Amino acid sequence: MDDEIYNVNAVWLGPPNKTLPFRARYVAYAVGALVFVLLQVIERRLGIGLGFFSLAYTLLVTVGLTRLILNVVDADRPLGSVIAGFAHEVGAPRERTRPTVGLMHPARVRAVPTRLSRAQRKAARLQAKMASREAPS
C-alpha cells in the first residue's frame, strides 16, 4: 500500500529548535495570502477603513476560509483540480426553472387532427360495420 507516502506533508516547521506554533502546508501560505488580499479588496470596496479590528477580523476570516478550502485539498486532489472543478460546477448549464414564453400567430398554426388510438380505430370500424348491416339495401 503506497498511502504512507502521502502521509508526509510538505510543511515548514521553522528553524531548528524554534518551530512555529502551528503546522501549515506550503500551499496553505499561498491560499491564505490570496484569501487575505481578496478580503482586503472587498473591505475597501465596501468602504470599511483600515484599522486594527478590521485587520483582526480579516485575519480570523482568512484562517477560517483557508482551513475550509484546504480541507478539500490533499495529495489525491491538488488545488488546481479543486479550482477547475469549482469553475466547471459554477459554469455548468442548469435546468430552466422559469417557463419560456413565446409569441404565437394563430394564422400560422396548422390544425392537425389527432390520431385515434388502436382501440378507438377498432371501435370505429366495428361501429361502421354495424351501421352498414343495419342500413336498408
Side-chain angles (χ1 to χ4, degrees):
M1 184 180 250
D2 55 328
D3 288 339
E4 291 85 22
I5 295 171
Y6 296 115
N7 285 339
V8 178
N9 285 328
V11 297
W12 184 70
L13 299 174
N17 298 326
K18 292 182 172 46
T19 61
L20 295 174
F22 56 87
R23 287 181 52 130
R25 295 180 280 172
Y26 287 129
V27 71
Y29 294 110
V31 170
L34 182 67
V35 169
F36 183 78
V37 169
L38 287 175
L39 287 175
Q40 286 296 309
V41 167
I42 291 170
E43 284 182 4
R44 298 306 155 263
R45 297 291 285 173
L46 292 176
I48 299 172
L50 184 64
F52 173 76
F53 287 109
S54 68
L55 281 176
Y57 288 130
T58 303
L59 190 61
L60 288 174
V61 171
T62 299
V63 169
L65 284 175
T66 303
R67 282 186 165 191
L68 185 70
I69 292 169
L70 292 180
N71 278 338
V72 181
V73 175
D74 57 6
D76 294 327
R77 245 185 324 221
L79 182 63
S81 67
V82 171
I83 292 171
F86 179 75
H88 290 304
E89 284 294 324
V90 169
R94 304 283 184 228
E95 182 179 342
R96 294 185 187 271
T97 56
R98 291 185 299 162
T100 48
V101 178
L103 181 64
M104 291 185 72
H105 297 285
R108 296 183 185 165
V109 176
R110 289 185 7 216
V112 178
T114 58
R115 186 171 181 212
L116 299 176
S117 68
R118 181 181 277 172
Q120 290 172 333
R121 287 192 308 256
K122 187 175 181 181
R125 279 195 307 265
L126 185 63
Q127 189 177 17
K129 193 186 267 189
M130 292 297 280
S132 66
R133 284 187 187 169
E134 293 177 1
S137 303

